[in-house]
Amino acid sequence: MKPLETLLSHAARSHHRIMLSEGTALRVVQAAYDAATQGIARIGLVGNRDGIENTFRTLGLDVVDGITLHDPAKSTHLPELTALYHDLRQHKGVTRADAETAVLNPHVFAALMVKAGHADGTVGGAVATTAEIVRTAIQIIGTKPGNPLVSSFFLMLFCEVHHARKGAMIFADSGLVVDPTAEEMAQIALSSADSFITLTGEVPRVAMLSFSTRGSSEHHSVSKVVTATGIAKNRAPDLLIDGELQFDAAFVPDVAARKAQGSPLEGSANVFIFPNLESGNIAYKIAQRVGGATAIGPVLQGLSKPANDLSRGCTAEDILHMIAVTAAQASAAT
């Protein structure tokens, strides 16, 4: 699991402050304890203080150094965050009274702490829905300048003995954008390439996937991938990117030599961009459940500061990994 060990060790050197917005959940508290004791990040647990302390007692754990409890209703940051939320949302008709109520929501509070600079990133979604986590992040933290699209990816780790190629790969978009346009697919590719560098330090090799390779089929969905590849190449001429490619032509050198001669990827892609959410989501689950890959995500990209969603079926270990990813993103954002 070298890629994961590298990610955890980099996070441990960063000392970033990560807010966990579901501070009373058992899995979240266990992950917070593990992150703090392993030095992966400084953790802020958000929620009712009594509830958080009860969860620690249930798990037989102590609130160790590196963990801070934040009860929104009792926080000294409340006036500042209320004013900030009102400023951000008053154009939507949000009143001061509305803001005072909204800030008590743990997800809103956590995102505001990041926006105000009191934390470096936030993680939620073990209990809440993806829609709530993503909506809150976009409304409060906002998107990167010049990039209005928030997308997602899974960091796929292939480290088992049976894996033909070992290492880290990105599958995108596998969790958020349902049917991207060519323009959006190009942006997902560029964002994913940047994310790959952030999380692995390696050179991204981006494959724009389709059921066609180099014109072997004609269909409007193939044309979308071709157009998206052209847009991405124009915006990042030094990026190693090719498409449209079938997965085997992007992944297997011998197949690439036959189907995609002259491809700059040479069958060694490590960033895979899917034409829609349906194919991306199916692919990552097959790789995880049948292929035995470790899947970390969905990781959000395109935000001005890190905020990440969790699967509601996640384990404490999954949350720990997402904390490390969020810390790595925070390093890249500074």
Side-chain angles (χ1 to χ4, degrees), residues 230-314:
I231 294 171
K233 284 181 177 180
N234 287 335
R235 292 184 182 171
D238 295 330
L239 179 65
L240 290 173
I241 184 171
D242 198 15
E244 90 282 13
L245 295 173
Q246 292 165 288
F247 185 85
D248 56 354
F251 186 75
V252 183
D254 288 347
V255 176
R258 295 194 303 271
K259 287 187 174 183
Q261 293 182 2
S263 171
L265 305 182
E266 298 180 326
S268 60
N270 48 30
V271 177
F272 298 92
I273 309 302
F274 294 84
N276 53 44
L277 181 63
E278 185 174 33
S279 57
N281 191 268
I282 291 169
Y284 106 76
K285 288 184 181 292
I286 290 175
Q288 178 188 36
R289 301 301 182 181
V290 178
T294 297
I296 301 176
V299 182
L300 301 182
Q301 55 187 3
L303 293 164
S304 62
K305 294 183 179 181
N308 279 310
D309 181 36
L310 296 163
S311 166
R312 279 180 283 176
C314 65

Side-chain angles (χ1 to χ4, degrees), residues 219-235:
H219 191 271
H220 64 84
S221 62
V222 176
S223 299
K224 180 180 82 169
V225 178
V226 174
T227 301
T229 304
I231 294 171
K233 284 181 177 180
N234 287 335
R235 292 184 182 171

Side-chain angles (χ1 to χ4, degrees), residues 7 38 78 125 127 151 184 203 239 250 274 286 288-289 291 304:
L7 177 64
Q38 294 176 36
L78 201 57
V127 179
S151 59
E184 289 171 335
V203 175
L239 179 65
F274 294 84
I286 290 175
Q288 178 188 36
R289 301 301 182 181
S304 62

